[in-house]
Amino acid sequence: MIWKFTTAVFLFVFLLSGNLTGQELLPVKKSEFVDNEPNRKQAFAQVKEASELYQKGIGYVPQSLNLFLSAYNLNNNNPELNYNIGLCYLISGPRDAALSYLLAAKSANADISADIHFLIGLAYKYQNNFSDAIIHFKMNKELIQQNKYKEQKELLPISDKHIQECRSGRLLMKNSLDLEIQPVEGNVNSEFDEFNPQIIDSNLFFSSRRGLENDSRSPEDQKFFEKLFKASKSEVLDIEVREEKNNLGENVNSTLLSKFDDKQFVFYNSNSGAGDLFLAEKERGKWKIGRAIKFINEKDSRESSASLPQSGDEIYFVSNRKGGFGDCDIYFCKKESESKWSKPINIGGDINTEYDEGDVFISADGTKLFFSSKGHNTMGGYDIFKSDRQDDGTWSKPINLGYPINSTDNDITYCEDQNGVFYFASERSGGKGGFDIYCQKTPEPVIEEVAEEVIAEPVIELPETKLEVPVTLPLVSFKSEAVAITETPVKQELVEEDFVYRVQIAAARKEMDPKDLFKRYKGGDVIDHLFVENWHKYTIGGFLTFKEAAKYRDASGVKDAFVVLFKGGYRLGIARRPFEAN
């Protein structure tokens, strides 16, 4: 692959931005899964096989998911099985399908895992339900801050990042673009990953990780090795897809990136160092990968995506070399003579961020730069951004291409053809599986309707009649105002998301008699009764701040009373200090 997520860790990195805690499957106990069922042995054998496949790598997660779903048909109430299915959907997709299983797992066992609210937040996010996603990311933060899950502290900044992405998503979807996108026709997309579209001489070249069961797999992620394909129109106007062969062999990831000059093209080859850029030519129907691009490649870094304008006087590329703003940055080189190029120059902090940038593409005329980024105002994963070349040659601050080009999933490898029609790859739900390639939908031709001939009716003059009934017309005042797009303030957001502090005055295994409650609390406020995890819990009040709740607690007359945080009817747990909203 040409982008950063190439190791077995990549999808966990995507889900948790570097934190692997909680991403192991939960053990499903045979005694709690099946009992007195005729097919129990077969179903539990599927659970065991699914767990073994999951451990082999990301490439086997779809098979693991299918086995879990088969076992689910026998018992759909097991919380661990529901959790595992939800986790597999978050990894292999469609990610928006994870929500119902994760909610079922939490409903059956509120403490099913330390990261359950984080994962539910992700699942809501993939359904574009940003408000509920924010709620669960904040629940996850609050539980960590209350020291209930100390081992999850690394999720605090990651939750903040997702909350910010949800806020960006709300704004971007509110101002969605008036255009349509569609999956590329024919057999271009499959259940596997398709990405990196390139339009060269009216042909669509793209990369795919499709394969047959016995084909070789990459040891990094256990997916099939990346291959180059070409899609072209045949004589019968069907789209024909064929694999493009090269001289690198079968067990290597390689892909076509850009045209270098009249004969040569830029290829990525993962089999060289950490991954480098090479020049290639096509001879007798086969790509011949030649010399490395020495003025770009570094020994201990990975150089992946690359793009040149039609003039061929500069090249933009992505590298994870030292000294950048983030792990992967965008660099460029300028052509100084026919055989000499400048040293690589970082494009700068207006475009590069502390997060990853990748998949660079420059328009044929060299005036527009497109790239993928996990920084800026992304709405989730990688989004596609655009920057314009200014009069002084520098690049403008990038803008998010917006919805529906970008989604809450990864959107990468943008390109345009000579007519400005764009192509890109996305992991969004609704495709055939994994990454699919999408393009701008061409508007249907407008067919003008032939107006019917209007035949004038004869005018019949009627005698004038004077009406004595007064006619009153309503007065309507029109006021035009510009609507400013602003983000919901944090305090207002908390109110909208219904976080409430209450004072808990008692808890018992058996329901308490009103007389016993009155002995503990002699105040006049209504006592709310909640049955949680086999405990009868009694609370009073409803406060928007911890300070107000703590003050009421101290004045309640109940010595062992304490403050509890609720979201609606859901009890988050004991609040030992103020809730910090981010």
Side-chain angles (χ1 to χ4, degrees), residues 46-110:
Q46 291 174 325
V47 171
K48 290 180 64 178
E49 184 181 357
S51 299
E52 292 169 359
L53 285 170
Y54 182 92
Q55 298 300 325
K56 293 176 69 173
I58 293 171
Y60 287 95
V61 173
Q63 294 171 252
S64 176
L65 174 59
N66 289 334
L67 289 168
F68 278 135
L69 288 171
S70 180
Y72 176 86
N73 292 329
L74 184 66
N75 180 0
N76 59 11
N77 295 317
N78 183 270
E80 289 78 18
L81 180 59
N82 274 281
Y83 176 95
N84 292 345
I85 292 173
L87 181 58
C88 286
Y89 270 125
L90 286 178
I91 293 173
S92 67
R95 295 193 172 109
D96 59 355
L99 181 61
S100 60
Y101 298 95
L102 294 171
L103 289 176
K106 183 181 75 67
S107 177
N109 181 359

Side-chain angles (χ1 to χ4, degrees), residues 2 16 149 192 200 294 299 303 309 376 399 438 506 525 547:
I2 66 168
L16 304 179
Y149 300 120
F192 304 99
I200 298 176
K294 292 184 178 180
K299 181 180 179 181
E303 286 66 45
H376 304 292
I399 60 170
Y438 293 82
D525 285 332
K547 185 177 180 180

Side-chain angles (χ1 to χ4, degrees), residues 344-364:
I345 304 169
N346 191 299
I347 201 170
D350 283 342
I351 290 179
N352 290 321
T353 68
E354 62 183 301
Y355 301 99
D356 290 337
E357 277 67 48
D359 309 316
V360 66
F361 175 84
I362 188 169
S363 60

Side-chain angles (χ1 to χ4, degrees), residues 26-173:
L26 297 183
V28 179
K29 295 181 180 179
K30 185 176 182 180
S31 59
E32 296 177 4
F33 175 62
V34 287
D35 189 24
N36 298 323
E37 290 284 348
N39 298 324
R40 61 185 182 276
K41 289 185 179 180
Q42 179 184 353
F44 193 69
Q46 291 174 325
V47 171
K48 290 180 64 178
E49 184 181 357
S51 299
E52 292 169 359
L53 285 170
Y54 182 92
Q55 298 300 325
K56 293 176 69 173
I58 293 171
Y60 287 95
V61 173
Q63 294 171 252
S64 176
L65 174 59
N66 289 334
L67 289 168
F68 278 135
L69 288 171
S70 180
Y72 176 86
N73 292 329
L74 184 66
N75 180 0
N76 59 11
N77 295 317
N78 183 270
E80 289 78 18
L81 180 59
N82 274 281
Y83 176 95
N84 292 345
I85 292 173
L87 181 58
C88 286
Y89 270 125
L90 286 178
I91 293 173
S92 67
R95 295 193 172 109
D96 59 355
L99 181 61
S100 60
Y101 298 95
L102 294 171
L103 289 176
K106 183 181 75 67
S107 177
N109 181 359
D111 294 322
I112 182 71
S113 71
D115 61 359
I116 186 63
H117 284 291
F118 181 85
L119 298 182
I120 290 174
L122 287 175
Y124 271 123
K125 184 180 175 186
Y126 292 129
Q127 291 194 355
N128 298 330
N129 187 339
F130 299 114
S131 293
D132 283 341
I134 290 173
I135 287 170
H136 283 276
F137 288 132
K138 287 181 176 178
M139 286 181 178
N140 175 71
K141 287 185 60 181
E142 181 66 17
L143 290 173
I144 295 172
Q145 289 168 335
Q146 292 174 14
N147 294 321
K148 187 172 183 179
Y149 300 120
K150 294 181 180 180
E151 71 279 9
Q152 296 287 308
K153 286 185 177 179
E154 292 182 15
L155 284 182
L156 289 173
I158 300 169
S159 295
D160 287 336
K161 179 69 164 65
H162 282 292
I163 289 169
Q164 185 56 51
E165 289 176 351
C166 287
R167 290 171 179 162
S168 296
R170 285 197 297 214
L171 291 175
L172 291 168
M173 292 195 72

Side-chain angles (χ1 to χ4, degrees), residues 450-569:
V450 179
E452 296 183 4
E453 184 180 356
V454 178
I455 302 174
E457 296 288 341
V459 178
I460 303 175
E461 293 186 1
L462 298 175
E464 184 178 348
T465 304
K466 187 176 182 181
L467 297 176
E468 299 295 338
V469 180
V471 179
T472 304
L473 296 178
L475 297 177
V476 181
S477 176
F478 292 95
K479 185 178 181 182
S480 177
E481 294 182 353
V483 179
I485 301 171
T486 58
E487 179 54 88
T488 306
V490 172
K491 290 184 179 178
Q492 180 183 344
E493 186 178 73
L494 284 176
V495 174
E496 289 175 353
E497 290 163 4
D498 202 18
F499 282 91
V500 176
Y501 291 95
R502 296 177 185 170
V503 176
Q504 183 165 315
I505 60 170
R509 288 291 187 181
K510 293 183 179 180
E511 187 172 356
M512 294 181 67
D513 187 272
K515 293 181 180 179
D516 295 326
L517 283 172
F518 182 72
K519 289 180 181 178
R520 291 184 61 81
Y521 172 67
K522 295 179 172 56
D525 285 332
V526 175
I527 300 175
D528 290 323
H529 175 203
L530 187 68
F531 187 63
V532 180
E533 300 172 5
N534 298 317
W535 281 86
H536 296 271
K537 300 186 179 184
Y538 301 88
T539 62
I540 52 177
F543 308 93
L544 294 181
T545 68
F546 176 86
K547 185 177 180 180
E548 292 174 315
K551 183 177 180 181
Y552 192 93
R553 173 201 62 198
D554 297 341
S556 67
V558 182
K559 293 182 179 180
D560 55 356
F562 51 86
V563 178
V564 181
L565 181 64
F566 280 78
K567 193 283 164 185

